[in-house]
Amino acid sequence: MKPRLHFQESAISGWFPFSVARPEMIPQPKKLVLLFLVAILLLDSWSIVDSDLASDRIALQALRKAVGGRSLLWNVSTNPCSWVGVFCQRDRVVELRLPAMGLSGQLPVALGNLTQLQSLSLRFNALSGPVPADIANLASLRNLYLQGNLFSGEIPEFLFNLQNLVRIDLAHNNFSGEISPSFNKLTRLGTLHLENNQLTGSIPELNLPSLDQFNVSFNKLTGPIPQRLSGKPTAAFEGNSLCGKPLAPCNGTSNGNDKLSGGAIAGIVIGCVLGFLLIVMILIILYRRMRTKQGVAKDTQEPKQREVQIPREKAVADRGNGSPENSGTGDSESEIAKNEAKKGETKNLVFIGNTPRTFDLEDLLRASAEVLGKGTFGTTYKASLEMGVAVAVKRLKDVAVTEKEFREKIESIGKINHENLVPLRAYYYNKEEKLLVYDYMPMGSLSALLHGNRGAGRTPLNWDTRSGIALGAARGIAYLHSQGPAISHGNIKSSNILLTRSFEARVSDFGLAHLAGPTSTPNRVDGYRAPEVTDARKISQKADVYSFGILLLELLTGKAPTHSPLNDEGVDLPRWVQSVVREEWTSEVFDLELLRYQNIEEDMVQLLQLAINCTAQYPDTRPSMAEVRNQIEELCRSNSQDREDDKSSHSADSGAPPP
């Protein structure tokens, strides 16, 4: 019978003076010695492998103990290669990927024992302190992703000895100090992200031929941009005090050829002369017009502020005939409006319902006006009245309905009253001007708050605020839908979600979609419009649900669907989210600002799933707004209960009675 270890004999045949090609030729005592030696070799190799994996296990357990035992639900009695985020080759850990796991605290001096590690990803956690020095032992490391944490101190010098590094991402941390020229030692480096830190000094000359992706934006860097980096995009350098291509030139010098041709000089001279003549003509025309107008000077005393441009002569002539202060007739404003419509002119503001008549059209004419924004249906102003009250005035454009239809639709809009809807207080109509007067929302829009200043010093929107905004908007839209199956908003987007001082959501612009003409509507809801919508003036309630789903994705991802890089790649926001979720990297979709908070991952995933349901391709598969509202209410209610339980548990642990 042939020995079972026959395949190993050739490997050791050179150790003995006799051939081992055929086992039957080996004398029995020597055959036993041979088998004994083979067994020793196999056991020794197994022990080495087991020892290396045991060392990796110890390093991983030290990491788990230091930065998040509750988050890393590893079964320590099993093989480490089966643990979440751990990837092995030949019984050695080669990749450690733990993004957005809620890890906190400082990294232990243990990761250096993972000597075969090639990729380390700890991004989007709350890790702090310096990067431990034993990472210098990771000679095989190719990818280092530490972005989105709270790491501090200078960029460690030992990184520059890791010659195999291809990608380094240290963005969105608190690293300080200067960017070392020692980065030039990393000759294979293709990606270097250092944005949103506290780095100072100048950018060194980096001679890295493979460097494709580079970003140092929003630091405290100064000086000129090195010539080798001048071809990088502007966004890679913004938020610093840098100069030179691709930014503005340094010391007033040009980035390109400073010499101008004779033709260019002649063109500049001719352009200046023509511009001067044009300015003189405009001034003459304006002067003549000013002389023909009466009473205008009083309303132009504040040159830095803008006015709501309403035909002033008609308003002055009508003062006292239709205003509520002087009528004394007891007629409703709607009846006054009807009488005025018969005469073909509008006397004054028409107030809605029980709105206090504390101002009139003349007060709006005298008010200083500040432009708040130019939206789908026109320009909105903040009008600061002399009595100290501020209102929002929307000056409509492209109104495509008759005066009768306009008044009927506006009156019906004015009757819709809910705490999460911006109330319509009054309106004004004549052939030249159509104005709507709303309550002024001091905190502006969700769009401005979400996508405004993303640099240093920004106060991030936390999870409680975002989920509260989602709930308030859902309640407002659900109430709107409850008024009848044909009632819809028609233009749901983040710029139409306004906020009070306590960040409560108020939905604006509802009902206006039916007033606009077809030429003003085709592109107005790009990024929010449901795929089945062909006429933006005719939006169903299920199309509203789709738009609200996009709004939820915007809250969760921090990406604006109409201005994100995704559109440059031909991918809309819901398709991008679904593609990431399919790859089981769900945490990658969430806004970096949200990933700083702990114990909210499950809630975010629940809201993400709801958003995906809302943006389903077919309308019939989308939930109703009432169902959406109920799910968000349940989510927020469970959040509140969890916080109360945490407070009670903390009080019990400290020996105090629960609050």
Side-chain angles (χ1 to χ4, degrees):
M1 181 176 180
K2 294 184 179 181
R4 298 180 62 185
L5 294 175
H6 175 64
F7 68 96
Q8 289 287 345
E9 293 172 0
S10 61
I12 59 173
S13 60
W15 294 5
F16 298 93
F18 52 86
S19 172
V20 292
R22 289 188 299 173
E24 61 271 17
M25 297 175 59
I26 304 174
Q28 189 66 26
K30 292 185 177 181
K31 186 182 297 184
L32 293 175
V33 171
L34 174 62
L35 293 176
F36 179 72
L37 290 174
V38 169
I40 290 176
L41 287 173
L42 291 176
L43 289 173
D44 185 59
S45 63
W46 290 338
S47 65
I48 291 173
V49 170
D50 186 61
S51 175
D52 289 340
L53 188 59
S55 176
D56 290 349
R57 177 196 295 272
I58 292 172
L60 293 173
Q61 288 179 332
L63 173 68
R64 178 177 182 269
K65 182 178 180 181
V67 299
R70 193 172 74 172
S71 299
L72 300 178
L73 302 178
W74 292 339
N75 185 350
V76 295
S77 63
T78 61
N79 190 317
C81 297
S82 66
W83 296 351
V84 174
V86 179
F87 302 89
C88 296
Q89 288 181 3
R90 299 177 182 176
D91 288 319
R92 291 303 307 273
V93 176
V94 294
E95 293 186 12
L96 181 59
R97 299 182 179 275
L98 302 172
M101 297 293 288
L103 308 181
S104 60
Q106 297 190 15
L107 291 177
V109 180
L111 294 179
N113 292 329
L114 303 173
T115 54
Q116 298 300 310
L117 198 65
Q118 298 176 17
S119 292
L120 176 61
S121 175
L122 300 173
R123 61 190 184 276
F124 307 143
N125 285 289
L127 299 170
S128 58
V131 178
D134 69 326
I135 286 183
N137 298 330
L138 306 181
S140 300
L141 194 65
R142 293 170 51 84
N143 305 309
L144 179 62
Y145 301 110
L146 300 180
Q147 69 267 34
N149 283 282
L150 303 171
F151 288 113
S152 57
E154 296 187 357
I155 297 174
E157 285 286 330
F158 60 75
L159 288 183
F160 309 130
N161 296 323
L162 302 178
Q163 297 294 313
N164 289 311
L165 277 173
V166 177
R167 299 177 185 86
I168 298 178
D169 196 332
L170 306 179
H172 296 276
N173 279 287
N174 294 320
F175 287 110
S176 57
E178 299 187 354
I179 300 175
S180 174
S182 296
F183 273 108
N184 285 312
K185 295 180 180 180
L186 305 177
T187 55
R188 302 179 62 186
L189 196 64
T191 298
L192 179 59
H193 284 281
L194 302 174
E195 65 266 26
N196 289 88
N197 280 286
Q198 306 293 322
L199 300 175
T200 55
S202 59
I203 302 176
E205 290 284 350
L206 295 179
N207 183 16
L208 298 170
S210 301
L211 190 63
D212 293 327
Q213 299 180 2
F214 178 79
N215 196 324
V216 291
S217 59
F218 298 104
N219 280 282
K220 299 178 180 178
L221 301 172
T222 57
I225 295 171
Q227 179 65 30
R228 291 181 181 273
L229 300 175
S230 60
K232 302 300 180 186
T234 302
F237 305 100
E238 62 185 355
N240 293 287
S241 298
L242 298 169
C243 60
K245 279 188 176 182
L247 303 180
C250 300
N251 301 324
T253 60
S254 173
N255 285 325
N257 190 352
D258 293 334
K259 296 181 180 180
L260 294 175
S261 64
I265 295 174
I268 293 174
V269 172
I270 294 172
C272 291
V273 172
L274 292 177
F276 176 75
L277 293 176
L278 181 61
I279 292 173
V280 171
M281 291 176 62
I282 292 174
L283 290 175
I284 293 173
I285 293 172
L286 290 176
Y287 177 73
R288 289 179 177 177
R289 286 187 177 180
M290 289 177 64
R291 293 193 62 183
T292 60
K293 293 184 178 181
Q294 301 296 325
V296 176
K298 180 179 178 181
D299 298 313
T300 59
Q301 297 300 313
E302 300 182 24
K304 292 185 179 180
Q305 294 182 330
R306 303 184 59 177
E307 290 186 341
V308 181
Q309 300 296 319
I310 305 172
R312 186 174 174 77
E313 295 82 353
K314 180 173 288 188
V316 173
D318 293 338
R319 181 172 174 82
N321 295 326
S323 64
E325 293 90 342
N326 298 317
S327 62
T329 62
D331 292 341
S332 69
E333 294 298 338
S334 298
E335 290 300 320
I336 293 174
K338 292 177 182 177
N339 293 336
E340 291 164 356
K342 293 178 181 178
K343 299 177 185 179
E345 58 184 12
T346 299
K347 299 298 182 184
N348 210 319
L349 290 174
V350 179
F351 286 85
I352 302 294
N354 297 323
T355 302
R357 276 66 166 170
T358 55
F359 58 91
D360 59 15
L361 189 61
E362 275 298 296
D363 294 322
L364 285 183
L365 284 169
R366 288 193 295 267
S368 61
E370 172 189 348
V371 177
L372 296 177
K374 295 183 179 181
T376 302
F377 305 114
T379 303
T380 303
Y381 303 84
K382 173 188 176 183
S384 300
L385 304 175
E386 292 181 350
M387 64 194 72
V389 177
V391 295
V393 180
K394 182 178 288 291
R395 187 181 185 190
L396 297 178
K397 66 177 182 180
D398 299 328
V399 174
V401 298
T402 65
E403 180 178 352
K404 179 181 178 182
E405 289 178 292
F406 179 87
R407 294 185 184 279
E408 288 176 350
K409 290 182 182 297
I410 293 300
E411 292 281 347
S412 64
I413 292 173
K415 292 177 182 177
I416 300 176
N417 184 27
H418 187 269
E419 62 180 356
N420 292 113
L421 298 175
V422 179
L424 176 64
R425 298 304 188 187
Y427 70 91
Y428 172 89
Y429 182 96
N430 70 19
K431 292 182 180 180
E432 292 80 21
E433 296 289 347
K434 290 87 178 171
L435 304 175
L436 303 179
V437 181
Y438 294 92
D439 284 353
Y440 171 65
M441 297 290 113
M443 296 303 293
S445 71
L446 172 61
S447 177
L449 197 63
L450 198 58
H451 309 299
N453 173 28
R454 280 261 168 178
R458 168 182 165 83
T459 301
L461 278 175
N462 61 31
W463 172 246
D464 288 341
T465 301
R466 297 195 199 203
S467 58
I469 291 172
L471 177 58
R475 284 172 172 169
I477 299 169
Y479 178 81
L480 200 63
H481 287 187
S482 71
Q483 302 305 296
I487 304 297
S488 62
H489 185 289
N491 193 25
I492 297 171
K493 54 184 180 180
S494 59
S495 59
N496 282 337
I497 307 299
L498 306 183
L499 304 171
T500 66
R501 294 191 186 279
S502 56
F503 294 99
E504 297 174 352
R506 300 285 187 270
V507 182
S508 69
D509 273 18
F510 54 91
L512 303 186
H514 306 289
L515 301 176
T519 58
S520 65
T521 57
N523 297 319
R524 73 181 187 206
V525 284
D526 285 348
Y528 296 89
R529 184 167 55 190
E532 73 273 10
V533 174
T534 56
D535 186 345
R537 295 172 299 169
K538 300 176 182 179
I539 304 292
S540 67
Q541 291 187 352
K542 284 302 180 76
D544 272 355
V545 172
Y546 182 94
S547 300
F548 184 76
I550 299 294
L551 181 69
L552 291 181
L553 293 179
E554 195 172 354
L555 274 167
L556 289 167
T557 65
K559 299 182 185 295
T562 52
H563 299 97
S564 70
L566 305 175
N567 283 340
D568 297 338
E569 302 170 6
V571 180
D572 59 17
L573 187 55
R575 279 197 298 163
W576 175 76
V577 168
Q578 290 169 7
S579 68
V580 175
V581 171
R582 276 197 302 270
E583 296 296 327
E584 298 184 356
W585 286 98
T586 303
S587 60
E588 296 283 345
V589 308
F590 295 123
D591 189 354
L592 177 66
E593 292 181 348
L594 285 177
L595 296 175
R596 295 183 181 275
Y597 302 97
Q598 300 184 32
N599 304 322
I600 62 170
E601 294 88 350
E602 183 178 347
D603 298 331
M604 290 195 299
V605 170
Q606 288 186 38
L607 194 61
L608 178 66
Q609 185 59 57
L610 177 59
I612 292 174
N613 294 341
C614 290
T615 55
Q617 185 76 9
Y618 301 104
D620 292 343
T621 60
R622 300 170 197 154
S624 67
M625 274 310 302
E627 294 171 327
V628 173
R629 176 202 59 205
N630 292 341
Q631 290 189 44
I632 300 178
E633 283 180 343
E634 180 61 32
L635 178 64
C636 293
R637 189 181 303 116
S638 64
N639 288 346
S640 177
Q641 184 61 49
D642 289 344
R643 283 193 294 271
E644 290 299 321
D645 292 343
D646 289 343
K647 289 181 181 179
S648 300
S649 175
H650 176 74
S651 298
D653 292 341
S654 61

